[in-house]
Amino acid sequence: MADFNTLDYRVEDGIAIATFNRPDRMNTFNVAMTQDLIALFDRTDGDDDVRAVVLTGSGRAFCAGADLGGGEKTFDYKPGGREGDVDVNGVRRDGGGRVTLRIFRSLKPVIAAVNGAAVGIGATMQLPMDARLASVDARFGFVFARRGITPEACSSWFLPRLVGMPRALEWVYSGRVFGAEEALEAGLVQSLHQPDELLDAAVALAHRMTDDSAPVSVALSRRMMWQSLGAPHPMHVHRIDSRAIQSRGKSNDAREGIASFMEKRPAQYPDLVSTDMPDFYPDSDEPEFI
């Protein structure tokens, strides 16, 4: 596979670690990063040796928002204006939204290790991740109104679900940048760490999430939990629950899970995410962009 342009990538003991590698530009977001992030999750979903993904930044920033190298016309989107953009019916699809929707569909748990500034898309791309750990030096900002634009990356769907509507509105209306302590108090991040301990803490969390669990069950559980947020009635979830437990209950993983428990030994789950996911959660469940 080709190397990423804006990410350094490695897999250590089943955990994929992707690091934004544009510290001279505060890891700001551009078209190449859009393409790299989508490709990253395509790669990790297809690699059965990867159990979870940790995303972090280099230098002083996690991702300091959009690259403003285009000056005043940075957000003046025109269909067909840039290679790598996706246009539908005269509308340029928001690149940050394409990234967050891809993270939303990830079959592996995703953890942000927020090492520094996380502003604009640097904050909103984290919202569909399963956990956000932050350095005590991290700063967050949903700064769109201060740039004369509006929230993007599906954040008006994700952010109120994570921190509640009043807090989300205040952050978005004001566009102010706030510190890691406020992010922790609001529930945007789960824990704070010293800078030199952050990545180790994120990797340790990834291991706790996945080391003793069946990968297919984790993948299916992730999809069930996230997609259930938008269900209009519990019955919709009951339909999926019933299909999922029936599918998993007859699997080799279920037999191994019960046998290992009874025999008091570590489980060796045989099923693979790449080949053994059930078919009642097809990717086509994502609505079409119109």
Side-chain angles (χ1 to χ4, degrees):
M1 295 182 183
D3 291 335
F4 298 111
N5 293 311
T6 64
L7 296 168
D8 294 328
Y9 179 81
R10 67 186 190 276
V11 178
E12 295 182 354
D13 194 20
I15 308 302
I17 301 171
T19 305
F20 294 125
N21 64 8
R22 304 179 72 221
D24 56 321
R25 299 289 298 174
M26 298 285 283
N27 300 319
T28 46
F29 190 84
N30 58 16
V31 174
M33 192 175 288
T34 301
Q35 296 170 323
D36 279 352
L37 285 168
I38 292 171
L40 167 68
F41 290 99
D42 288 345
R43 179 181 297 192
T44 55
D45 273 1
D47 187 348
D48 288 315
D49 290 332
V50 171
R51 295 194 301 272
V53 184
V54 173
L55 186 64
T56 192
S58 58
R60 296 183 296 118
F62 175 80
C63 170
D67 190 328
L68 301 179
E72 295 177 0
K73 294 187 178 296
T74 296
F75 302 112
D76 186 6
Y77 300 140
K78 295 179 174 60
R82 299 181 305 184
E83 184 178 357
D85 286 342
V86 175
D87 305 327
V88 180
N89 297 327
V91 178
R92 199 217 71 162
R93 287 189 60 182
D94 166 43
R98 292 170 57 210
V99 167
T100 58
L101 287 169
R102 183 61 190 86
I103 297 171
F104 182 76
R105 297 196 311 273
S106 173
L107 298 176
K108 314 293 174 70
V110 185
I111 299 169
V114 189
N115 57 298
V119 177
I121 181 60
T124 56
M125 76 167 67
Q126 300 176 36
L127 302 181
M129 298 183 189
D130 302 283
R132 290 154 296 281
L133 280 60
S135 163
V136 294
D137 297 332
R139 297 292 182 269
F140 299 82
F142 300 89
V143 298
F144 310 104
R146 294 195 179 195
R147 306 292 181 265
I149 59 172
T150 53
E152 38 66 271
C154 309
S155 55
S156 59
W157 192 91
F158 285 107
L159 186 59
R161 285 169 165 80
L162 290 176
V163 303
M165 186 64 80
R167 179 87 66 161
L169 290 174
E170 191 272 320
W171 283 347
V172 169
Y173 289 168
S174 69
R176 65 183 178 85
V177 175
F178 53 91
E181 288 285 353
E182 183 172 343
L184 177 66
E185 184 273 329
L188 181 63
V189 303
Q190 283 66 59
S191 58
L192 303 184
H193 305 269
Q194 293 300 315
D196 61 349
E197 298 171 352
L198 173 64
L199 186 58
D200 286 345
V203 170
L205 176 58
H207 281 294
R208 287 199 302 276
M209 285 180 167
T210 61
D211 278 0
D212 299 314
S213 303
V216 174
S217 294
V218 171
L220 188 56
S221 298
R222 184 180 199 273
R223 186 160 288 187
M224 291 167 67
M225 295 285 280
W226 274 110
Q227 292 196 8
S228 293
L229 283 176
H233 190 280
M235 177 55 76
H236 293 266
V237 181
H238 177 55
R239 294 168 184 161
I240 293 298
D241 291 348
S242 300
R243 288 166 172 78
I245 198 71
Q246 179 172 313
S247 171
R248 290 272 76 209
K250 63 184 179 183
S251 70
N252 292 323
D253 279 352
R255 287 190 284 273
E256 170 63 8
I258 294 169
S260 63
F261 175 76
M262 299 297 291
E263 297 166 10
K264 296 181 173 55
R265 60 172 174 79
Q268 300 292 324
Y269 298 107
D271 291 346
L272 301 176
V273 172
S274 62
T275 58
D276 298 308
M277 285 289 287
D279 61 4
F280 53 81
Y281 252 144
D283 288 340
S284 60
D285 281 352
E286 180 174 286
E288 182 182 359
F289 183 92
I290 57 175

PDB file of all heavy atoms in Angstrom, residues 255-289:
ATOM      1  N   ARG A 255     -18.947 -20.188  20.809  1.00  0.00           N
ATOM      2  CA  ARG A 255     -18.528 -21.474  21.375  1.00  0.00           C
ATOM      3  C   ARG A 255     -17.200 -21.338  22.106  1.00  0.00           C
ATOM      4  O   ARG A 255     -17.018 -21.875  23.204  1.00  0.00           O
ATOM      5  CB  ARG A 255     -18.438 -22.515  20.256  1.00  0.00           C
ATOM      6  CG  ARG A 255     -19.814 -22.980  19.751  1.00  0.00           C
ATOM      7  CD  ARG A 255     -19.687 -24.175  18.811  1.00  0.00           C
ATOM      8  NE  ARG A 255     -19.218 -23.754  17.494  1.00  0.00           N
ATOM      9  CZ  ARG A 255     -20.031 -23.333  16.519  1.00  0.00           C
ATOM     10  NH1 ARG A 255     -21.336 -23.264  16.718  1.00  0.00           N
ATOM     11  NH2 ARG A 255     -19.535 -22.983  15.346  1.00  0.00           N
ATOM     12  N   GLU A 256     -16.271 -20.602  21.501  1.00  0.00           N
ATOM     13  CA  GLU A 256     -14.973 -20.412  22.139  1.00  0.00           C
ATOM     14  C   GLU A 256     -15.098 -19.552  23.398  1.00  0.00           C
ATOM     15  O   GLU A 256     -14.429 -19.811  24.413  1.00  0.00           O
ATOM     16  CB  GLU A 256     -13.997 -19.770  21.151  1.00  0.00           C
ATOM     17  CG  GLU A 256     -12.683 -19.291  21.752  1.00  0.00           C
ATOM     18  CD  GLU A 256     -11.829 -20.400  22.355  1.00  0.00           C
ATOM     19  OE1 GLU A 256     -12.157 -21.595  22.186  1.00  0.00           O
ATOM     20  OE2 GLU A 256     -10.814 -20.073  22.995  1.00  0.00           O
ATOM     21  N   GLY A 257     -15.929 -18.520  23.341  1.00  0.00           N
ATOM     22  CA  GLY A 257     -16.095 -17.661  24.504  1.00  0.00           C
ATOM     23  C   GLY A 257     -16.620 -18.411  25.709  1.00  0.00           C
ATOM     24  O   GLY A 257     -16.152 -18.218  26.843  1.00  0.00           O
ATOM     25  N   ILE A 258     -17.591 -19.283  25.488  1.00  0.00           N
ATOM     26  CA  ILE A 258     -18.155 -20.071  26.585  1.00  0.00           C
ATOM     27  C   ILE A 258     -17.164 -21.133  27.063  1.00  0.00           C
ATOM     28  O   ILE A 258     -16.953 -21.327  28.273  1.00  0.00           O
ATOM     29  CB  ILE A 258     -19.481 -20.713  26.144  1.00  0.00           C
ATOM     30  CG1 ILE A 258     -20.521 -19.617  25.891  1.00  0.00           C
ATOM     31  CG2 ILE A 258     -19.988 -21.688  27.197  1.00  0.00           C
ATOM     32  CD1 ILE A 258     -21.779 -20.105  25.214  1.00  0.00           C
ATOM     33  N   ALA A 259     -16.525 -21.811  26.110  1.00  0.00           N
ATOM     34  CA  ALA A 259     -15.567 -22.853  26.483  1.00  0.00           C
ATOM     35  C   ALA A 259     -14.403 -22.277  27.285  1.00  0.00           C
ATOM     36  O   ALA A 259     -13.985 -22.859  28.299  1.00  0.00           O
ATOM     37  CB  ALA A 259     -15.047 -23.558  25.226  1.00  0.00           C
ATOM     38  N   SER A 260     -13.855 -21.149  26.851  1.00  0.00           N
ATOM     39  CA  SER A 260     -12.720 -20.554  27.554  1.00  0.00           C
ATOM     40  C   SER A 260     -13.111 -20.102  28.958  1.00  0.00           C
ATOM     41  O   SER A 260     -12.325 -20.218  29.907  1.00  0.00           O
ATOM     42  CB  SER A 260     -12.148 -19.390  26.753  1.00  0.00           C
ATOM     43  OG  SER A 260     -13.106 -18.355  26.611  1.00  0.00           O
ATOM     44  N   PHE A 261     -14.342 -19.605  29.097  1.00  0.00           N
ATOM     45  CA  PHE A 261     -14.827 -19.205  30.415  1.00  0.00           C
ATOM     46  C   PHE A 261     -14.944 -20.423  31.337  1.00  0.00           C
ATOM     47  O   PHE A 261     -14.489 -20.403  32.488  1.00  0.00           O
ATOM     48  CB  PHE A 261     -16.180 -18.504  30.291  1.00  0.00           C
ATOM     49  CG  PHE A 261     -16.816 -18.162  31.608  1.00  0.00           C
ATOM     50  CD1 PHE A 261     -16.365 -17.091  32.359  1.00  0.00           C
ATOM     51  CD2 PHE A 261     -17.866 -18.931  32.105  1.00  0.00           C
ATOM     52  CE1 PHE A 261     -16.936 -16.789  33.579  1.00  0.00           C
ATOM     53  CE2 PHE A 261     -18.450 -18.636  33.326  1.00  0.00           C
ATOM     54  CZ  PHE A 261     -17.988 -17.557  34.066  1.00  0.00           C
ATOM     55  N   MET A 262     -15.536 -21.489  30.838  1.00  0.00           N
ATOM     56  CA  MET A 262     -15.730 -22.691  31.653  1.00  0.00           C
ATOM     57  C   MET A 262     -14.382 -23.336  32.006  1.00  0.00           C
ATOM     58  O   MET A 262     -14.218 -23.898  33.098  1.00  0.00           O
ATOM     59  CB  MET A 262     -16.610 -23.690  30.909  1.00  0.00           C
ATOM     60  CG  MET A 262     -18.005 -23.181  30.586  1.00  0.00           C
ATOM     61  SD  MET A 262     -18.992 -22.821  32.041  1.00  0.00           S
ATOM     62  CE  MET A 262     -19.250 -24.492  32.682  1.00  0.00           C
ATOM     63  N   GLU A 263     -13.436 -23.252  31.077  1.00  0.00           N
ATOM     64  CA  GLU A 263     -12.125 -23.880  31.290  1.00  0.00           C
ATOM     65  C   GLU A 263     -11.121 -22.939  31.949  1.00  0.00           C
ATOM     66  O   GLU A 263      -9.964 -23.320  32.169  1.00  0.00           O
ATOM     67  CB  GLU A 263     -11.580 -24.375  29.950  1.00  0.00           C
ATOM     68  CG  GLU A 263     -12.450 -25.462  29.323  1.00  0.00           C
ATOM     69  CD  GLU A 263     -12.127 -25.725  27.861  1.00  0.00           C
ATOM     70  OE1 GLU A 263     -11.095 -25.206  27.376  1.00  0.00           O
ATOM     71  OE2 GLU A 263     -12.909 -26.438  27.197  1.00  0.00           O
ATOM     72  N   LYS A 264     -11.571 -21.706  32.230  1.00  0.00           N
ATOM     73  CA  LYS A 264     -10.733 -20.712  32.927  1.00  0.00           C
ATOM     74  C   LYS A 264      -9.396 -20.502  32.213  1.00  0.00           C
ATOM     75  O   LYS A 264      -8.318 -20.578  32.801  1.00  0.00           O
ATOM     76  CB  LYS A 264     -10.510 -21.120  34.381  1.00  0.00           C
ATOM     77  CG  LYS A 264     -11.793 -21.158  35.209  1.00  0.00           C
ATOM     78  CD  LYS A 264     -11.528 -21.539  36.644  1.00  0.00           C
ATOM     79  CE  LYS A 264     -12.780 -21.400  37.496  1.00  0.00           C
ATOM     80  NZ  LYS A 264     -13.943 -22.146  36.984  1.00  0.00           N
ATOM     81  N   ARG A 265      -9.508 -20.220  30.903  1.00  0.00           N
ATOM     82  CA  ARG A 265      -8.319 -19.954  30.089  1.00  0.00           C
ATOM     83  C   ARG A 265      -8.599 -18.778  29.171  1.00  0.00           C
ATOM     84  O   ARG A 265      -9.761 -18.425  28.909  1.00  0.00           O
ATOM     85  CB  ARG A 265      -7.963 -21.189  29.257  1.00  0.00           C
ATOM     86  CG  ARG A 265      -9.070 -21.618  28.305  1.00  0.00           C
ATOM     87  CD  ARG A 265      -8.633 -22.703  27.353  1.00  0.00           C
ATOM     88  NE  ARG A 265      -9.731 -23.196  26.541  1.00  0.00           N
ATOM     89  CZ  ARG A 265     -10.220 -22.560  25.446  1.00  0.00           C
ATOM     90  NH1 ARG A 265      -9.677 -21.418  25.044  1.00  0.00           N
ATOM     91  NH2 ARG A 265     -11.223 -23.089  24.775  1.00  0.00           N
ATOM     92  N   PRO A 266      -7.548 -18.116  28.653  1.00  0.00           N
ATOM     93  CA  PRO A 266      -7.772 -17.024  27.698  1.00  0.00           C
ATOM     94  C   PRO A 266      -8.434 -17.547  26.425  1.00  0.00           C
ATOM     95  O   PRO A 266      -8.131 -18.650  25.952  1.00  0.00           O
ATOM     96  CB  PRO A 266      -6.356 -16.508  27.402  1.00  0.00           C
ATOM     97  CG  PRO A 266      -5.529 -16.969  28.558  1.00  0.00           C
ATOM     98  CD  PRO A 266      -6.123 -18.265  28.997  1.00  0.00           C
ATOM     99  N   ALA A 267      -9.354 -16.759  25.887  1.00  0.00           N
ATOM    100  CA  ALA A 267     -10.059 -17.157  24.667  1.00  0.00           C
ATOM    101  C   ALA A 267      -9.183 -16.910  23.440  1.00  0.00           C
ATOM    102  O   ALA A 267      -8.376 -15.981  23.405  1.00  0.00           O
ATOM    103  CB  ALA A 267     -11.361 -16.388  24.537  1.00  0.00           C
ATOM    104  N   GLN A 268      -9.380 -17.736  22.445  1.00  0.00           N
ATOM    105  CA  GLN A 268      -8.737 -17.574  21.139  1.00  0.00           C
ATOM    106  C   GLN A 268      -9.851 -17.517  20.095  1.00  0.00           C
ATOM    107  O   GLN A 268     -10.248 -18.534  19.537  1.00  0.00           O
ATOM    108  CB  GLN A 268      -7.780 -18.742  20.865  1.00  0.00           C
ATOM    109  CG  GLN A 268      -6.663 -18.886  21.870  1.00  0.00           C
ATOM    110  CD  GLN A 268      -5.675 -17.739  21.805  1.00  0.00           C
ATOM    111  OE1 GLN A 268      -5.385 -17.225  20.714  1.00  0.00           O
ATOM    112  NE2 GLN A 268      -5.159 -17.326  22.956  1.00  0.00           N
ATOM    113  N   TYR A 269     -10.360 -16.331  19.846  1.00  0.00           N
ATOM    114  CA  TYR A 269     -11.517 -16.184  18.972  1.00  0.00           C
ATOM    115  C   TYR A 269     -11.123 -16.398  17.516  1.00  0.00           C
ATOM    116  O   TYR A 269     -10.224 -15.728  17.002  1.00  0.00           O
ATOM    117  CB  TYR A 269     -12.146 -14.806  19.158  1.00  0.00           C
ATOM    118  CG  TYR A 269     -12.648 -14.588  20.566  1.00  0.00           C
ATOM    119  CD1 TYR A 269     -11.969 -13.734  21.439  1.00  0.00           C
ATOM    120  CD2 TYR A 269     -13.785 -15.233  21.025  1.00  0.00           C
ATOM    121  CE1 TYR A 269     -12.420 -13.539  22.731  1.00  0.00           C
ATOM    122  CE2 TYR A 269     -14.244 -15.040  22.325  1.00  0.00           C
ATOM    123  CZ  TYR A 269     -13.550 -14.194  23.176  1.00  0.00           C
ATOM    124  OH  TYR A 269     -13.997 -14.015  24.459  1.00  0.00           O
ATOM    125  N   PRO A 270     -11.804 -17.287  16.799  1.00  0.00           N
ATOM    126  CA  PRO A 270     -11.397 -17.601  15.424  1.00  0.00           C
ATOM    127  C   PRO A 270     -11.998 -16.695  14.354  1.00  0.00           C
ATOM    128  O   PRO A 270     -11.435 -16.592  13.254  1.00  0.00           O
ATOM    129  CB  PRO A 270     -11.901 -19.042  15.234  1.00  0.00           C
ATOM    130  CG  PRO A 270     -13.102 -19.125  16.120  1.00  0.00           C
ATOM    131  CD  PRO A 270     -12.799 -18.252  17.309  1.00  0.00           C
ATOM    132  N   ASP A 271     -13.135 -16.052  14.623  1.00  0.00           N
ATOM    133  CA  ASP A 271     -13.817 -15.294  13.576  1.00  0.00           C
ATOM    134  C   ASP A 271     -13.066 -14.000  13.265  1.00  0.00           C
ATOM    135  O   ASP A 271     -12.455 -13.378  14.147  1.00  0.00           O
ATOM    136  CB  ASP A 271     -15.250 -14.972  13.985  1.00  0.00           C
ATOM    137  CG  ASP A 271     -16.131 -16.207  14.037  1.00  0.00           C
ATOM    138  OD1 ASP A 271     -15.703 -17.252  13.512  1.00  0.00           O
ATOM    139  OD2 ASP A 271     -17.242 -16.128  14.604  1.00  0.00           O
ATOM    140  N   LEU A 272     -13.143 -13.565  12.003  1.00  0.00           N
ATOM    141  CA  LEU A 272     -12.418 -12.390  11.521  1.00  0.00           C
ATOM    142  C   LEU A 272     -13.391 -11.315  11.064  1.00  0.00           C
ATOM    143  O   LEU A 272     -14.415 -11.612  10.425  1.00  0.00           O
ATOM    144  CB  LEU A 272     -11.507 -12.771  10.358  1.00  0.00           C
ATOM    145  CG  LEU A 272     -10.454 -13.845  10.644  1.00  0.00           C
ATOM    146  CD1 LEU A 272      -9.704 -14.182   9.358  1.00  0.00           C
ATOM    147  CD2 LEU A 272      -9.495 -13.398  11.735  1.00  0.00           C
ATOM    148  N   VAL A 273     -13.044 -10.062  11.352  1.00  0.00           N
ATOM    149  CA  VAL A 273     -13.877  -8.935  10.910  1.00  0.00           C
ATOM    150  C   VAL A 273     -13.946  -8.893   9.388  1.00  0.00           C
ATOM    151  O   VAL A 273     -14.985  -8.568   8.806  1.00  0.00           O
ATOM    152  CB  VAL A 273     -13.327  -7.613  11.475  1.00  0.00           C
ATOM    153  CG1 VAL A 273     -14.044  -6.414  10.867  1.00  0.00           C
ATOM    154  CG2 VAL A 273     -13.467  -7.591  13.006  1.00  0.00           C
ATOM    155  N   SER A 274     -12.863  -9.260   8.725  1.00  0.00           N
ATOM    156  CA  SER A 274     -12.810  -9.155   7.263  1.00  0.00           C
ATOM    157  C   SER A 274     -13.726 -10.152   6.566  1.00  0.00           C
ATOM    158  O   SER A 274     -14.128  -9.921   5.417  1.00  0.00           O
ATOM    159  CB  SER A 274     -11.372  -9.353   6.778  1.00  0.00           C
ATOM    160  OG  SER A 274     -10.911 -10.658   7.118  1.00  0.00           O
ATOM    161  N   THR A 275     -14.081 -11.244   7.240  1.00  0.00           N
ATOM    162  CA  THR A 275     -14.845 -12.297   6.560  1.00  0.00           C
ATOM    163  C   THR A 275     -16.108 -12.738   7.278  1.00  0.00           C
ATOM    164  O   THR A 275     -16.967 -13.376   6.658  1.00  0.00           O
ATOM    165  CB  THR A 275     -13.963 -13.545   6.359  1.00  0.00           C
ATOM    166  OG1 THR A 275     -13.477 -13.999   7.637  1.00  0.00           O
ATOM    167  CG2 THR A 275     -12.778 -13.239   5.449  1.00  0.00           C
ATOM    168  N   ASP A 276     -16.264 -12.408   8.559  1.00  0.00           N
ATOM    169  CA  ASP A 276     -17.330 -13.020   9.349  1.00  0.00           C
ATOM    170  C   ASP A 276     -18.338 -12.043   9.930  1.00  0.00           C
ATOM    171  O   ASP A 276     -19.105 -12.409  10.830  1.00  0.00           O
ATOM    172  CB  ASP A 276     -16.715 -13.858  10.483  1.00  0.00           C
ATOM    173  CG  ASP A 276     -15.862 -14.996   9.944  1.00  0.00           C
ATOM    174  OD1 ASP A 276     -16.377 -15.758   9.104  1.00  0.00           O
ATOM    175  OD2 ASP A 276     -14.687 -15.101  10.344  1.00  0.00           O
ATOM    176  N   MET A 277     -18.379 -10.821   9.422  1.00  0.00           N
ATOM    177  CA  MET A 277     -19.412  -9.881   9.852  1.00  0.00           C
ATOM    178  C   MET A 277     -20.758 -10.309   9.275  1.00  0.00           C
ATOM    179  O   MET A 277     -20.849 -10.739   8.116  1.00  0.00           O
ATOM    180  CB  MET A 277     -19.083  -8.466   9.392  1.00  0.00           C
ATOM    181  CG  MET A 277     -17.967  -7.800  10.190  1.00  0.00           C
ATOM    182  SD  MET A 277     -18.462  -7.352  11.865  1.00  0.00           S
ATOM    183  CE  MET A 277     -19.537  -5.946  11.530  1.00  0.00           C
ATOM    184  N   PRO A 278     -21.845 -10.198  10.042  1.00  0.00           N
ATOM    185  CA  PRO A 278     -23.166 -10.529   9.509  1.00  0.00           C
ATOM    186  C   PRO A 278     -23.602  -9.524   8.458  1.00  0.00           C
ATOM    187  O   PRO A 278     -23.055  -8.413   8.372  1.00  0.00           O
ATOM    188  CB  PRO A 278     -24.069 -10.470  10.743  1.00  0.00           C
ATOM    189  CG  PRO A 278     -23.368  -9.550  11.675  1.00  0.00           C
ATOM    190  CD  PRO A 278     -21.906  -9.763  11.448  1.00  0.00           C
ATOM    191  N   ASP A 279     -24.603  -9.901   7.672  1.00  0.00           N
ATOM    192  CA  ASP A 279     -24.984  -9.071   6.531  1.00  0.00           C
ATOM    193  C   ASP A 279     -26.180  -8.162   6.809  1.00  0.00           C
ATOM    194  O   ASP A 279     -26.669  -7.502   5.890  1.00  0.00           O
ATOM    195  CB  ASP A 279     -25.282  -9.945   5.317  1.00  0.00           C
ATOM    196  CG  ASP A 279     -26.427 -10.915   5.563  1.00  0.00           C
ATOM    197  OD1 ASP A 279     -27.038 -10.863   6.655  1.00  0.00           O
ATOM    198  OD2 ASP A 279     -26.707 -11.730   4.670  1.00  0.00           O
ATOM    199  N   PHE A 280     -26.647  -8.076   8.053  1.00  0.00           N
ATOM    200  CA  PHE A 280     -27.834  -7.243   8.299  1.00  0.00           C
ATOM    201  C   PHE A 280     -27.482  -5.803   8.635  1.00  0.00           C
ATOM    202  O   PHE A 280     -28.346  -5.006   8.960  1.00  0.00           O
ATOM    203  CB  PHE A 280     -28.715  -7.848   9.408  1.00  0.00           C
ATOM    204  CG  PHE A 280     -27.997  -8.150  10.695  1.00  0.00           C
ATOM    205  CD1 PHE A 280     -27.739  -7.162  11.626  1.00  0.00           C
ATOM    206  CD2 PHE A 280     -27.589  -9.438  10.968  1.00  0.00           C
ATOM    207  CE1 PHE A 280     -27.094  -7.450  12.806  1.00  0.00           C
ATOM    208  CE2 PHE A 280     -26.945  -9.744  12.150  1.00  0.00           C
ATOM    209  CZ  PHE A 280     -26.698  -8.740  13.081  1.00  0.00           C
ATOM    210  N   TYR A 281     -26.189  -5.445   8.565  1.00  0.00           N
ATOM    211  CA  TYR A 281     -25.763  -4.059   8.739  1.00  0.00           C
ATOM    212  C   TYR A 281     -24.923  -3.645   7.525  1.00  0.00           C
ATOM    213  O   TYR A 281     -23.748  -3.330   7.647  1.00  0.00           O
ATOM    214  CB  TYR A 281     -24.927  -3.902   9.996  1.00  0.00           C
ATOM    215  CG  TYR A 281     -25.616  -3.175  11.127  1.00  0.00           C
ATOM    216  CD1 TYR A 281     -25.387  -3.554  12.442  1.00  0.00           C
ATOM    217  CD2 TYR A 281     -26.467  -2.102  10.893  1.00  0.00           C
ATOM    218  CE1 TYR A 281     -26.007  -2.896  13.491  1.00  0.00           C
ATOM    219  CE2 TYR A 281     -27.085  -1.444  11.936  1.00  0.00           C
ATOM    220  CZ  TYR A 281     -26.852  -1.846  13.243  1.00  0.00           C
ATOM    221  OH  TYR A 281     -27.462  -1.189  14.279  1.00  0.00           O
ATOM    222  N   PRO A 282     -25.500  -3.650   6.334  1.00  0.00           N
ATOM    223  CA  PRO A 282     -24.695  -3.328   5.144  1.00  0.00           C
ATOM    224  C   PRO A 282     -24.277  -1.865   5.124  1.00  0.00           C
ATOM    225  O   PRO A 282     -24.914  -1.010   5.722  1.00  0.00           O
ATOM    226  CB  PRO A 282     -25.651  -3.641   3.993  1.00  0.00           C
ATOM    227  CG  PRO A 282     -27.000  -3.426   4.575  1.00  0.00           C
ATOM    228  CD  PRO A 282     -26.904  -3.874   6.015  1.00  0.00           C
ATOM    229  N   ASP A 283     -23.177  -1.576   4.453  1.00  0.00           N
ATOM    230  CA  ASP A 283     -22.719  -0.189   4.319  1.00  0.00           C
ATOM    231  C   ASP A 283     -23.759   0.687   3.643  1.00  0.00           C
ATOM    232  O   ASP A 283     -23.771   1.899   3.813  1.00  0.00           O
ATOM    233  CB  ASP A 283     -21.400  -0.138   3.528  1.00  0.00           C
ATOM    234  CG  ASP A 283     -20.229  -0.680   4.336  1.00  0.00           C
ATOM    235  OD1 ASP A 283     -20.353  -0.724   5.572  1.00  0.00           O
ATOM    236  OD2 ASP A 283     -19.221  -1.045   3.731  1.00  0.00           O
ATOM    237  N   SER A 284     -24.640   0.061   2.869  1.00  0.00           N
ATOM    238  CA  SER A 284     -25.669   0.844   2.176  1.00  0.00           C
ATOM    239  C   SER A 284     -26.679   1.463   3.134  1.00  0.00           C
ATOM    240  O   SER A 284     -27.537   2.243   2.721  1.00  0.00           O
ATOM    241  CB  SER A 284     -26.399  -0.025   1.157  1.00  0.00           C
ATOM    242  OG  SER A 284     -27.024  -1.129   1.790  1.00  0.00           O
ATOM    243  N   ASP A 285     -26.575   1.135   4.444  1.00  0.00           N
ATOM    244  CA  ASP A 285     -27.436   1.783   5.433  1.00  0.00           C
ATOM    245  C   ASP A 285     -27.165   3.293   5.499  1.00  0.00           C
ATOM    246  O   ASP A 285     -27.983   4.049   5.996  1.00  0.00           O
ATOM    247  CB  ASP A 285     -27.229   1.177   6.824  1.00  0.00           C
ATOM    248  CG  ASP A 285     -27.967  -0.146   6.977  1.00  0.00           C
ATOM    249  OD1 ASP A 285     -28.736  -0.510   6.073  1.00  0.00           O
ATOM    250  OD2 ASP A 285     -27.741  -0.805   8.000  1.00  0.00           O
ATOM    251  N   GLU A 286     -25.982   3.741   5.058  1.00  0.00           N
ATOM    252  CA  GLU A 286     -25.701   5.167   5.045  1.00  0.00           C
ATOM    253  C   GLU A 286     -26.527   5.842   3.966  1.00  0.00           C
ATOM    254  O   GLU A 286     -26.483   5.460   2.800  1.00  0.00           O
ATOM    255  CB  GLU A 286     -24.222   5.413   4.779  1.00  0.00           C
ATOM    256  CG  GLU A 286     -23.840   6.890   4.759  1.00  0.00           C
ATOM    257  CD  GLU A 286     -22.337   7.109   4.636  1.00  0.00           C
ATOM    258  OE1 GLU A 286     -21.645   6.889   5.624  1.00  0.00           O
ATOM    259  OE2 GLU A 286     -21.902   7.484   3.535  1.00  0.00           O
ATOM    260  N   PRO A 287     -27.315   6.861   4.317  1.00  0.00           N
ATOM    261  CA  PRO A 287     -28.144   7.531   3.305  1.00  0.00           C
ATOM    262  C   PRO A 287     -27.284   8.166   2.220  1.00  0.00           C
ATOM    263  O   PRO A 287     -26.119   8.529   2.437  1.00  0.00           O
ATOM    264  CB  PRO A 287     -28.880   8.605   4.114  1.00  0.00           C
ATOM    265  CG  PRO A 287     -28.842   8.131   5.518  1.00  0.00           C
ATOM    266  CD  PRO A 287     -27.546   7.391   5.663  1.00  0.00           C
ATOM    267  N   GLU A 288     -27.857   8.306   1.061  1.00  0.00           N
ATOM    268  CA  GLU A 288     -27.154   8.920  -0.065  1.00  0.00           C
ATOM    269  C   GLU A 288     -27.078  10.424   0.132  1.00  0.00           C
ATOM    270  O   GLU A 288     -28.007  11.050   0.653  1.00  0.00           O
ATOM    271  CB  GLU A 288     -27.906   8.600  -1.351  1.00  0.00           C
ATOM    272  CG  GLU A 288     -27.261   9.124  -2.620  1.00  0.00           C
ATOM    273  CD  GLU A 288     -28.075   8.819  -3.854  1.00  0.00           C
ATOM    274  OE1 GLU A 288     -29.151   8.178  -3.707  1.00  0.00           O
ATOM    275  OE2 GLU A 288     -27.669   9.229  -4.961  1.00  0.00           O
ATOM    276  N   PHE A 289     -25.955  11.032  -0.279  1.00  0.00           N
ATOM    277  CA  PHE A 289     -25.837  12.490  -0.277  1.00  0.00           C
ATOM    278  C   PHE A 289     -26.580  13.042  -1.488  1.00  0.00           C
ATOM    279  O   PHE A 289     -26.288  12.655  -2.622  1.00  0.00           O
ATOM    280  CB  PHE A 289     -24.362  12.910  -0.333  1.00  0.00           C
ATOM    281  CG  PHE A 289     -24.153  14.398  -0.251  1.00  0.00           C
ATOM    282  CD1 PHE A 289     -23.940  15.009   0.972  1.00  0.00           C
ATOM    283  CD2 PHE A 289     -24.184  15.190  -1.387  1.00  0.00           C
ATOM    284  CE1 PHE A 289     -23.750  16.380   1.068  1.00  0.00           C
ATOM    285  CE2 PHE A 289     -24.000  16.553  -1.316  1.00  0.00           C
ATOM    286  CZ  PHE A 289     -23.780  17.152  -0.087  1.00  0.00           C
TER     287      PHE A 289
END
